[in-house]
């Protein structure tokens, strides 16, 4: 039980650190975000009441009235209420609404692509690592090329080849603009069709790491006693590979899943930009170019929350899968 | 956080290593001392070194050969020709010249970030683990927190707040280094923890050596391969990270990197105009450079984890067995036949 408590405690600390970073960044860096933001707001026809100004200064700093400490407390209080301010680039929509509208796109795209890449990579890694020394295994270093390719460049190349030259898939966007978003077959099929290219990019760019990690663990596992015992018992090689070697070798991959999620999210932020995908990454970049600081911070908070949440789930699962982790503490 | 047993703990596999050792080192004298730290040459390492050295030389030397990358000519977007080996951009700028300057810019940032991130991870990983106690707990917590906070979104937010005019190369370098040291620090900590309690370190402490000397002389040499591998990795991550940032227009102002090249290509509609010569080379350089470094890292990994190195010895042995099996099968007129799982081994080309 204390294992789970420790993990929970760690994520509470991590969350607090992320919130504090979010609070500190605009205050530590040069520039005056509040004024830029309010100027933008006025351009868009928004009225700047003292309350609006106060809300923004709480979020972004530049407030001279209260002490830093009271600003910090107020900032945390606002966040607890889910109040992230008003977005400038989508005025008068609230930041939380803008984010909630784009979150499903990213969650589904990144989630499905990551799980696919992990499953495929671990499976291939188990196959390759099972017989170290075959011609297949000596090709493994070539996968480093896949891992070293920038996500967004791979996206450009794939778009060029599959969408522009061959014309198989749509060039960019999240769905056919002629359709209205809704839960009907036509729209969902269109969304799937538009998601193939970005998903393919993420899978291709991240599969190499999984493959390599699994293969290396598989090789290490092969020299363990229990594999030798299984062989001595005369078990079928396939059974040894699946139930003895691969099972144990996959453990670090499960643990690594959480860490890699952060990288995948990072990579997909820019990938979304290439495809003009209506996800949260596109919103973040749009916010940056429009100096929409409130939206920027909101998106960062949401991404961090999502990654922390996924990490927590994986960690808790890991405690269930591998009893050793619980025994250690 | 780590669930792996430290690599230094002796396992039964290590005993197996000593069994394989004689078969592998046929006729070669054992390598000793510092040379043990150097990875042995393999075809993949050769490819990696060639790529890294080639691209580095291109970045350093080509800028003196090519023309002015910013010179605008009235010929628009042209495909590769004898005059412009990689064609021109839509304003008639020489892509090859841009590529040379961009490669130099990217490499500079990569190396700077690599150094800074390695120093940071060494400080938080090694020093914390060496001192132990509350400092270790604090440093370890800090690196774990930095590990789970997604790096690039943080970098984007930070760069977004810095006004464009004050966003120089050093801003980007510091921001990238600050967000990329955590993973290495964790590995270094685990390694240091296992080295810290060895007898010679204790002896050095008892002899009254100062902490920095114990770390530098007794502990650091053990961690050199790990540090080297992490330095290499940090460079890849930095080049990729900078390219990503620059691609979305958040790179250092007035800098020429591979990422900014891709940014201009994207904004110049290179994709929809089909100008592959504009957007393919910069990404290819990044990918090949990253691949080269990864391949070098592969070999460093073999020095860190000898189990992987013994693989090649296994491989050689497996091939020999396969050959013998085939000969036996030919002679024995298919009495037993080779097991199905071995068939892939026998297809391995002789090296």
């Amino acid at each position: 039980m204390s294992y789970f408590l420790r993990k929970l405690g760690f994520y509470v600390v991590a969350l607090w650190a992320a919130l504090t970073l979010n609070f500190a960044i605009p205050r530590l860096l040069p520039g005056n975000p509040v004024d830029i933001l309010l100027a933008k707001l006025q351009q868009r026809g928004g009225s700047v009441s003292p309350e609006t100004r106060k809300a923004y200064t709480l979020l972004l700093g530049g407030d001279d009235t209260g002490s830093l400490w009271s600003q910090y407390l107020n900032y945390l209080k606002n966040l607890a209420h889910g109040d992230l301010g008003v977005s400038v680039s989508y005025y008068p929509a609230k930041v939380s609404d803008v984010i909630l509208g784009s979150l499903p796109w990213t969650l589904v795209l990144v989630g499905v692509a990551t799980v696919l890449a992990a499953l495929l990579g671990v499976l291939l890694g188990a196959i390759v690592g099972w017989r170290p020394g075959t011609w297949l295994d000596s090709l493994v270093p070539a996968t480093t090329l896949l891992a070293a390719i920038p996500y967004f460049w791979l996206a450009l190349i794939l778009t060029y080849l599959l969408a522009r030259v061959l014309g198989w898939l749509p060039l960019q966007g999240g769905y056919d603009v002629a359709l209205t978003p809704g839960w009907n077959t036509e729209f969902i099929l269109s969304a799937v069709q538009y998601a193939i290219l970005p998903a393919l990019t993420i899978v291709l760019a991240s599969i190499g790491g999984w493959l390599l990690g699994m293969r290396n663990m598989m090789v290490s596992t092969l020299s363990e006693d229990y594999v030798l015992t299984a062989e001595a018992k005369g078990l079928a090689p396939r059974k040894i590979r699946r139930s003895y070697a691969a099972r144990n070798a996959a453990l670090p991959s499960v643990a690594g899943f959480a860490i890699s999620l952060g990288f995948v999210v990072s990579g997909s932020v820019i990938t979304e930009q290439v495809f003009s995908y209506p996800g949260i990454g596109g919103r973040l970049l749009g916010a940056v170019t429009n100096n929409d600081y409130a939206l920027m911070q909101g998106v960062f908070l949401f991404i961090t929350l999502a990654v922390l949440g996924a990490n927590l789930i994986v960690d808790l699962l890991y405690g269930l899968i591998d009893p050793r982790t619980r025994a250690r503490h | 956080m780590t669930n792996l047993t430290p690599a230094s703990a002796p396992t039964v596999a290590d005993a197996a290593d000593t069994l394989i050792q004689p078969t592998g080192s046929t006729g070669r004298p054992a390598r000793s001392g510092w040379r043990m730290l150097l990875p042995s040459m393999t075809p993949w390492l050769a490819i990696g070194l060639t790529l890294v050295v080639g691209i580095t030389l291109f970045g350093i030397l080509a800028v003196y050969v090519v023309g002015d990358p910013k010179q605008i000519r009235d010929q628009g977007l042209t495909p590769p020709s004898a005059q412009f080996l990689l064609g021109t951009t839509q304003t008639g700028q020489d892509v090859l010249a841009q590529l040379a300057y961009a490669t130099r810019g990217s490499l500079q940032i990569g190396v700077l970030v690599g150094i800074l991130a390695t120093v940071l991870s060494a400080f938080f990983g090694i020093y914390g683990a060496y001192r132990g106690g509350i400092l270790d707990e604090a440093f370890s917590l800090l690196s774990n927190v930095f590990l789970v906070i997604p790096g690039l979104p943080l970098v984007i937010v930070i760069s977004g707040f810095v006004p464009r005019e004050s966003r120089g190369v050093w801003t980007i370098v510091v921001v990238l280094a600050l967000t990329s040291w955590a993973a290495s620090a964790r590995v270094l900590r685990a390694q240091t923890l296992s080295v810290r309690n060895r007898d010679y370190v204790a002896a050095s402490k008892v002899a009254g050596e100062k902490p920095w000397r114990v770390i530098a002389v007794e502990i650091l040499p053990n961690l050199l391969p790990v540090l080297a591998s992490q330095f290499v990795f940090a460079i890849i991550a930095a080049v990729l990270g900078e390219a990503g940032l620059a691609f979305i227009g958040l790179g250092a102002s007035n800098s020429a990197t591979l990422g900014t090249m891709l940014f201009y290509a994207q904004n110049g509609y290179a994709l929809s105009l089909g100008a592959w010569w504009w957007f393919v080379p910069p990404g290819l350089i990044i990918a090949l450079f990253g691949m080269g470094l990864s391949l070098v890292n592969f070999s460093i990994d073999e020095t860190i984890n000898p189990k992987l190195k013994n693989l090649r010895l296994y491989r050689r042995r497996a091939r020999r067995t396969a050959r013998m099996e085939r000969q036996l099968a030919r002679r024995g007129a298919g009495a037993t036949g080779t097991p199905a799982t071995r068939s892939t081994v026998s297809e391995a080309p002789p090296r």
Side-chain angles (χ1 to χ4, degrees), chain B residues 87-146:
Chain B
T88 57
T89 70
Q90 103 257 52
T91 49
Q93 293 165 326
D94 185 0
V95 173
L96 183 65
Q98 289 199 340
L99 196 65
Y101 280 90
T103 306
R104 188 173 73 173
S106 277
L107 291 187
Q108 275 171 347
I109 289 186
V111 171
L112 284 177
V113 176
I115 294 172
L116 214 58
T118 310
V119 168
L120 276 175
S121 62
F123 175 73
F124 284 107
I126 302 178
Y127 186 66
Y130 175 75
R131 290 298 296 270
I134 191 107
L135 191 76
D136 180 34
E137 289 286 331
F139 279 7
S140 153
L141 182 69
L142 189 72
S143 45
N144 280 335
V145 165
F146 261 94

Side-chain angles (χ1 to χ4, degrees), chain B residues 27-102:
Chain B
R28 268 192 225 154
R31 303 187 330 154
S32 60
W34 285 90
R35 279 190 42 109
M36 285 284 281
L37 291 175
L38 293 178
S40 46
M41 195 49 109
T42 58
W44 282 112
L45 176 61
I47 295 177
L49 283 176
T50 315
L51 282 174
V52 173
V53 172
I55 291 172
T56 312
L57 284 181
F58 174 70
I60 296 173
L61 300 179
V63 287
Y64 299 108
V65 183
V66 295
D68 180 9
K70 287 179 180 158
Q71 191 193 340
I72 293 169
R73 300 174 188 81
D74 54 350
Q75 60 180 45
L77 209 57
T78 49
S81 61
Q83 194 194 352
F84 300 108
L85 288 177
L86 284 176
T88 57
T89 70
Q90 103 257 52
T91 49
Q93 293 165 326
D94 185 0
V95 173
L96 183 65
Q98 289 199 340
L99 196 65
Y101 280 90

Side-chain angles (χ1 to χ4, degrees), chain A residues 9 55 88 120 144 176 210 290 295 304 308:
Chain A
V88 174
L120 272 177
T144 51
D176 195 342
W210 294 110
N290 286 321
L295 183 58
T304 312
L308 286 184

Side-chain angles (χ1 to χ4, degrees), chain A residues 7 10 132-133 137-138 141 144 148 152-153 156 164 212 215 223 225 266 270 285 288 293 296 300 307-308 318 325, chain B residues 1 3 12-13 44 144 148 152-154 161 240 244 248 262 266 271-272 279-280 283-284 290-291 298 311 315:
Chain A
K7 284 288 164 203
F10 168 72
D137 185 45
S138 50
T144 51
F152 59 92
W153 184 70
L156 287 177
R164 196 180 173 278
L212 206 61
R215 177 254 181 198
S223 54
D225 280 350
S266 304
I270 301 179
L285 298 182
V288 169
Y293 298 111
M296 215 157 93
F300 173 66
V307 172
L308 286 184
Y318 197 88
T325 43
Chain B
M1 281 289 283
N3 304 302
V12 188
W44 282 112
N144 280 335
V148 287
L152 196 79
L154 180 61
F161 273 113
L240 280 173
I248 52 177
L262 284 166
Q266 169 82 346
L271 199 64
S272 35
F279 66 85
V280 170
L284 207 58
M291 180 189 180
F298 237 65
L311 256 188
R315 218 171 273 176

Side-chain angles (χ1 to χ4, degrees), chain B residues 197-341:
Chain B
N197 295 327
R198 291 192 192 160
D199 286 347
Y200 57 86
V201 179
S204 176
K205 271 194 222 171
V206 171
E209 299 285 10
K210 289 189 180 66
W212 65 265
R213 201 187 135 81
V214 178
I215 291 178
V217 178
E218 310 291 346
I219 295 182
L220 215 54
N222 288 292
L223 303 176
L224 268 186
V226 186
L227 275 173
S229 143
Q230 286 171 348
F231 176 63
V232 168
F233 213 71
I235 296 181
I236 306 177
V239 170
L240 280 173
E242 195 281 331
L245 267 186
F247 178 70
I248 52 177
L250 285 177
S253 51
N254 297 323
S255 72
T257 65
L258 295 166
T260 48
M261 245 186 113
L262 284 166
F263 170 73
Y264 286 118
Q266 169 82 346
N267 285 3
Y269 302 104
L271 199 64
S272 35
L273 293 171
W276 56 267
W277 59 89
W278 192 2
F279 66 85
V280 170
L284 207 58
I285 293 255
I286 297 177
L288 289 179
F289 186 69
M291 180 189 180
L293 287 178
S294 305
L295 289 178
V296 172
N297 233 355
F298 237 65
S299 304
I300 301 177
D301 272 348
E302 286 188 345
T303 342
I304 301 172
N305 184 1
K307 277 183 199 168
L308 296 177
K309 188 185 213 161
N310 289 329
L311 256 188
R312 268 185 287 124
L313 310 181
Y314 269 126
R315 218 171 273 176
R316 223 170 287 158
R317 222 170 47 157
R319 241 174 259 134
R320 209 174 302 151
T321 327
R323 216 175 302 140
M324 278 164 66
E325 270 175 7
R326 248 178 303 164
Q327 282 168 359
L328 279 178
R330 232 173 282 147
R331 255 180 257 154
T336 44
T338 47
T341 43

